[in-house]
Amino acid sequence: MGSTNGRVSGQGKQPLFSFGVISDVQYADIPDGRSFLGVPRHYRHSIRVLQRAVKKWNSHQKLEFVINFGDIVDGFCPRDKSLTTVQKVVDEFENFSGPIYHLIGNHCLYNLPRNKLLPLLKISSPDRCAYYDFSPTPEYRFVILDGYDISAIGWPHDHPKTLEALKFLQEKNPNSDKNSPVGLVGLERRFLMFNGAVGKEQMEWLDGVLQDATKLKQRVVVCCHLPLDPDASSKEALLWNFNEVMDLIHKYNCVKVCFAGHDHKGGQSIDSHGVHHRVFEAALECPPGTDAFGYAEAYDDRLLLFGTDRMKSTDMIFCPSGKSPRI
């Protein structure tokens, strides 16, 4: 699945663990189309990308788990087929020989309400939120954020979180079409209906998790469908309150990497506190015969991403605590 030739290797060590990654499959049994920017989208081919990914992940010597970064099916999927289409893609993921950890994205929520979506993705939460954490080894913790916690999509129309999101959009985006960034300047261009925010309870939960990880001396990988750094993403794809989330993350030294999807072209950056940001290239935008998925190896002092085809390989060497990153 890739070699370390020319890569910053783990210095001959075995990784602590390895895991697979893929984002924005957005499968639908419909003809190919284009994004609002005119980029071709291959709705039927994307499930083939996933099938090849699962085959490669299973052939790897040892992948502990796979993370799906959201948007499992596309918003153009006919609504009467949403349930069966989500189940079809979940079944493909289930062919992987280990655990699958799912994130939710906007296209997931266009198709199904949370009370139907989360059980299919095996995300158990009494309040229908989709944030959680897990530790594959004592040295690492993965934090899965729900970027649509405060959102105009996915919650019932009269839900407090829907009303809060609509009020926010009304204040921030003067356009009648709340998915239009026309007239919005710079970072304001993120205030679109297909994005969302992390709410107060989730922020308190995240604070507690990072406190605990600090005590345990764990390295933390934060995963969110929506990107958290403007230098790794287009402005239109960012989490509404990415700055608040990153201010909280920067209070601690435990977070080493932030992974995301949503911005299909992909991107990467190292922020002012030395945190690596990596936005994954979308499976949906792979022309037939091409792929976008990968796997990562975790070491004490780095994560190495081995990408396939359109997903670029990336070395993420952790900045020592208290030192400025080399950019």
Short mmCIF file of all heavy atoms in Angstrom, two decimals, residues 288-318:
data_model
loop_
_atom_site.label_atom_id
_atom_site.label_comp_id
_atom_site.label_asym_id
_atom_site.label_seq_id
_atom_site.Cartn_x
_atom_site.Cartn_y
_atom_site.Cartn_z
N PRO A 288 -13.35 7.63 -12.91
CA PRO A 288 -13.20 6.18 -12.98
C PRO A 288 -11.75 5.76 -13.18
O PRO A 288 -11.03 6.35 -13.99
CB PRO A 288 -14.07 5.79 -14.17
CG PRO A 288 -15.16 6.83 -14.17
CD PRO A 288 -14.47 8.11 -13.75
N GLY A 289 -11.33 4.80 -12.40
CA GLY A 289 -9.96 4.31 -12.47
C GLY A 289 -9.00 5.01 -11.52
O GLY A 289 -7.84 4.64 -11.44
N THR A 290 -9.49 6.03 -10.80
CA THR A 290 -8.64 6.71 -9.82
C THR A 290 -9.23 6.53 -8.42
O THR A 290 -10.39 6.15 -8.26
CB THR A 290 -8.49 8.21 -10.13
OG1 THR A 290 -9.77 8.85 -10.01
CG2 THR A 290 -7.96 8.43 -11.54
N ASP A 291 -8.42 6.84 -7.40
CA ASP A 291 -8.80 6.60 -6.01
C ASP A 291 -8.41 7.77 -5.11
O ASP A 291 -7.56 8.59 -5.48
CB ASP A 291 -8.12 5.33 -5.48
CG ASP A 291 -8.68 4.06 -6.08
OD1 ASP A 291 -9.92 3.94 -6.14
OD2 ASP A 291 -7.90 3.18 -6.48
N ALA A 292 -9.03 7.83 -3.94
CA ALA A 292 -8.62 8.78 -2.89
C ALA A 292 -8.97 8.16 -1.54
O ALA A 292 -10.11 8.22 -1.08
CB ALA A 292 -9.32 10.13 -3.06
N PHE A 293 -7.99 7.50 -0.95
CA PHE A 293 -8.10 6.95 0.39
C PHE A 293 -6.68 6.70 0.88
O PHE A 293 -5.72 6.92 0.13
CB PHE A 293 -8.93 5.66 0.42
CG PHE A 293 -8.42 4.55 -0.47
CD1 PHE A 293 -7.43 3.68 -0.04
CD2 PHE A 293 -8.94 4.38 -1.75
CE1 PHE A 293 -6.94 2.66 -0.86
CE2 PHE A 293 -8.46 3.36 -2.58
CZ PHE A 293 -7.48 2.50 -2.13
N GLY A 294 -6.52 6.28 2.10
CA GLY A 294 -5.17 6.04 2.59
C GLY A 294 -5.15 5.33 3.92
O GLY A 294 -6.19 4.84 4.40
N TYR A 295 -3.97 5.28 4.50
CA TYR A 295 -3.82 4.75 5.85
C TYR A 295 -2.72 5.53 6.54
O TYR A 295 -1.86 6.15 5.87
CB TYR A 295 -3.53 3.24 5.86
CG TYR A 295 -2.12 2.87 5.46
CD1 TYR A 295 -1.14 2.59 6.43
CD2 TYR A 295 -1.76 2.78 4.12
CE1 TYR A 295 0.14 2.24 6.06
CE2 TYR A 295 -0.46 2.42 3.75
CZ TYR A 295 0.48 2.16 4.72
OH TYR A 295 1.76 1.81 4.36
N ALA A 296 -2.76 5.57 7.84
CA ALA A 296 -1.77 6.32 8.62
C ALA A 296 -1.10 5.40 9.63
O ALA A 296 -1.73 4.49 10.17
CB ALA A 296 -2.43 7.49 9.34
N GLU A 297 0.18 5.66 9.87
CA GLU A 297 0.94 4.98 10.91
C GLU A 297 1.19 5.96 12.04
O GLU A 297 1.61 7.09 11.80
CB GLU A 297 2.27 4.47 10.36
CG GLU A 297 2.13 3.38 9.31
CD GLU A 297 3.46 2.89 8.79
OE1 GLU A 297 4.50 3.54 9.04
OE2 GLU A 297 3.46 1.84 8.09
N ALA A 298 0.92 5.53 13.26
CA ALA A 298 1.09 6.38 14.44
C ALA A 298 2.34 5.97 15.22
O ALA A 298 2.51 4.79 15.54
CB ALA A 298 -0.14 6.29 15.35
N TYR A 299 3.18 6.96 15.49
CA TYR A 299 4.38 6.78 16.30
C TYR A 299 4.32 7.73 17.50
O TYR A 299 3.42 8.57 17.58
CB TYR A 299 5.63 7.07 15.47
CG TYR A 299 5.83 6.13 14.31
CD1 TYR A 299 5.22 6.41 13.08
CD2 TYR A 299 6.60 4.98 14.42
CE1 TYR A 299 5.38 5.55 12.00
CE2 TYR A 299 6.77 4.11 13.35
CZ TYR A 299 6.16 4.40 12.14
OH TYR A 299 6.32 3.55 11.09
N ASP A 300 5.28 7.62 18.39
CA ASP A 300 5.33 8.53 19.55
C ASP A 300 5.39 9.99 19.14
O ASP A 300 4.79 10.85 19.78
CB ASP A 300 6.56 8.22 20.42
CG ASP A 300 6.34 6.99 21.30
OD1 ASP A 300 5.21 6.80 21.75
OD2 ASP A 300 7.31 6.25 21.51
N ASP A 301 6.12 10.26 18.06
CA ASP A 301 6.42 11.66 17.72
C ASP A 301 5.93 12.09 16.35
O ASP A 301 6.31 13.14 15.86
CB ASP A 301 7.93 11.89 17.81
CG ASP A 301 8.71 11.06 16.79
OD1 ASP A 301 8.13 10.10 16.22
OD2 ASP A 301 9.90 11.36 16.56
N ARG A 302 5.09 11.27 15.71
CA ARG A 302 4.63 11.63 14.36
C ARG A 302 3.48 10.74 13.91
O ARG A 302 3.29 9.64 14.43
CB ARG A 302 5.78 11.53 13.37
CG ARG A 302 6.30 10.11 13.13
CD ARG A 302 7.64 10.12 12.43
NE ARG A 302 8.68 10.69 13.30
CZ ARG A 302 9.85 11.14 12.86
NH1 ARG A 302 10.15 11.10 11.59
NH2 ARG A 302 10.73 11.63 13.72
N LEU A 303 2.74 11.24 12.93
CA LEU A 303 1.79 10.44 12.17
C LEU A 303 2.23 10.50 10.71
O LEU A 303 2.52 11.58 10.20
CB LEU A 303 0.37 11.01 12.27
CG LEU A 303 -0.55 10.57 13.40
CD1 LEU A 303 -1.91 11.28 13.27
CD2 LEU A 303 -0.78 9.08 13.43
N LEU A 304 2.29 9.36 10.06
CA LEU A 304 2.63 9.32 8.64
C LEU A 304 1.42 8.85 7.85
O LEU A 304 0.91 7.75 8.08
CB LEU A 304 3.80 8.35 8.40
CG LEU A 304 5.09 8.61 9.18
CD1 LEU A 304 6.14 7.58 8.80
CD2 LEU A 304 5.60 10.02 8.93
N LEU A 305 0.93 9.70 6.94
CA LEU A 305 -0.21 9.35 6.09
C LEU A 305 0.32 8.84 4.76
O LEU A 305 1.09 9.53 4.08
CB LEU A 305 -1.10 10.58 5.87
CG LEU A 305 -2.22 10.41 4.83
CD1 LEU A 305 -3.25 9.40 5.30
CD2 LEU A 305 -2.87 11.75 4.52
N PHE A 306 -0.10 7.64 4.39
CA PHE A 306 0.23 7.05 3.10
C PHE A 306 -1.02 7.11 2.23
O PHE A 306 -1.97 6.35 2.42
CB PHE A 306 0.71 5.60 3.27
CG PHE A 306 1.97 5.47 4.08
CD1 PHE A 306 1.92 5.44 5.47
CD2 PHE A 306 3.21 5.41 3.45
CE1 PHE A 306 3.08 5.34 6.22
CE2 PHE A 306 4.38 5.31 4.20
CZ PHE A 306 4.32 5.28 5.58
N GLY A 307 -1.03 8.05 1.30
CA GLY A 307 -2.20 8.23 0.45
C GLY A 307 -2.14 7.37 -0.79
O GLY A 307 -1.05 7.00 -1.26
N THR A 308 -3.30 7.06 -1.33
CA THR A 308 -3.41 6.32 -2.58
C THR A 308 -3.91 7.26 -3.66
O THR A 308 -4.96 7.90 -3.50
CB THR A 308 -4.38 5.13 -2.42
OG1 THR A 308 -3.87 4.24 -1.44
CG2 THR A 308 -4.56 4.38 -3.73
N ASP A 309 -3.13 7.35 -4.74
CA ASP A 309 -3.53 8.09 -5.93
C ASP A 309 -3.80 9.57 -5.63
O ASP A 309 -2.88 10.32 -5.33
CB ASP A 309 -4.76 7.41 -6.57
CG ASP A 309 -4.91 7.74 -8.05
OD1 ASP A 309 -4.08 8.49 -8.58
OD2 ASP A 309 -5.87 7.25 -8.67
N ARG A 310 -5.06 10.01 -5.62
CA ARG A 310 -5.37 11.44 -5.47
C ARG A 310 -5.24 11.93 -4.02
O ARG A 310 -5.26 13.14 -3.79
CB ARG A 310 -6.78 11.72 -5.98
CG ARG A 310 -6.90 11.57 -7.50
CD ARG A 310 -8.35 11.53 -7.96
NE ARG A 310 -9.03 12.79 -7.73
CZ ARG A 310 -9.12 13.77 -8.62
NH1 ARG A 310 -8.54 13.66 -9.80
NH2 ARG A 310 -9.79 14.88 -8.35
N MET A 311 -5.14 11.02 -3.06
CA MET A 311 -4.90 11.44 -1.68
C MET A 311 -3.39 11.52 -1.46
O MET A 311 -2.68 10.52 -1.59
CB MET A 311 -5.53 10.48 -0.66
CG MET A 311 -5.37 10.96 0.77
SD MET A 311 -6.20 9.93 2.01
CE MET A 311 -7.90 10.39 1.75
N LYS A 312 -2.93 12.72 -1.14
CA LYS A 312 -1.49 12.95 -1.03
C LYS A 312 -0.95 12.41 0.28
O LYS A 312 -1.55 12.59 1.34
CB LYS A 312 -1.20 14.45 -1.11
CG LYS A 312 -1.58 15.08 -2.45
CD LYS A 312 -1.50 16.59 -2.39
CE LYS A 312 -2.02 17.22 -3.68
NZ LYS A 312 -2.26 18.66 -3.54
N SER A 313 0.20 11.76 0.21
CA SER A 313 0.90 11.31 1.42
C SER A 313 1.42 12.53 2.18
O SER A 313 1.80 13.53 1.57
CB SER A 313 2.06 10.38 1.06
OG SER A 313 1.57 9.20 0.44
N THR A 314 1.42 12.44 3.50
CA THR A 314 1.78 13.59 4.34
C THR A 314 2.51 13.12 5.59
O THR A 314 2.04 12.21 6.27
CB THR A 314 0.53 14.38 4.77
OG1 THR A 314 -0.31 14.61 3.64
CG2 THR A 314 0.90 15.71 5.41
N ASP A 315 3.66 13.75 5.88
CA ASP A 315 4.39 13.49 7.12
C ASP A 315 3.99 14.54 8.14
O ASP A 315 4.12 15.74 7.87
CB ASP A 315 5.90 13.57 6.90
CG ASP A 315 6.40 12.53 5.92
OD1 ASP A 315 5.81 11.44 5.86
OD2 ASP A 315 7.38 12.82 5.20
N MET A 316 3.51 14.11 9.30
CA MET A 316 3.13 15.04 10.36
C MET A 316 4.01 14.77 11.58
O MET A 316 3.74 13.87 12.37
CB MET A 316 1.64 14.86 10.68
CG MET A 316 0.73 15.38 9.57
SD MET A 316 -0.93 14.66 9.54
CE MET A 316 -0.63 13.14 8.63
N ILE A 317 5.10 15.53 11.67
CA ILE A 317 6.06 15.38 12.77
C ILE A 317 5.68 16.36 13.86
O ILE A 317 5.55 17.56 13.61
CB ILE A 317 7.50 15.61 12.28
CG1 ILE A 317 7.82 14.62 11.15
CG2 ILE A 317 8.49 15.47 13.42
CD1 ILE A 317 9.06 14.95 10.37
N PHE A 318 5.47 15.86 15.06
CA PHE A 318 4.93 16.67 16.12
C PHE A 318 5.94 17.70 16.63
O PHE A 318 7.12 17.38 16.80
CB PHE A 318 4.46 15.81 17.30
CG PHE A 318 3.47 14.74 16.92
CD1 PHE A 318 3.34 13.60 17.69
CD2 PHE A 318 2.67 14.86 15.79
CE1 PHE A 318 2.44 12.60 17.35
CE2 PHE A 318 1.77 13.87 15.43
CZ PHE A 318 1.66 12.73 16.20
#
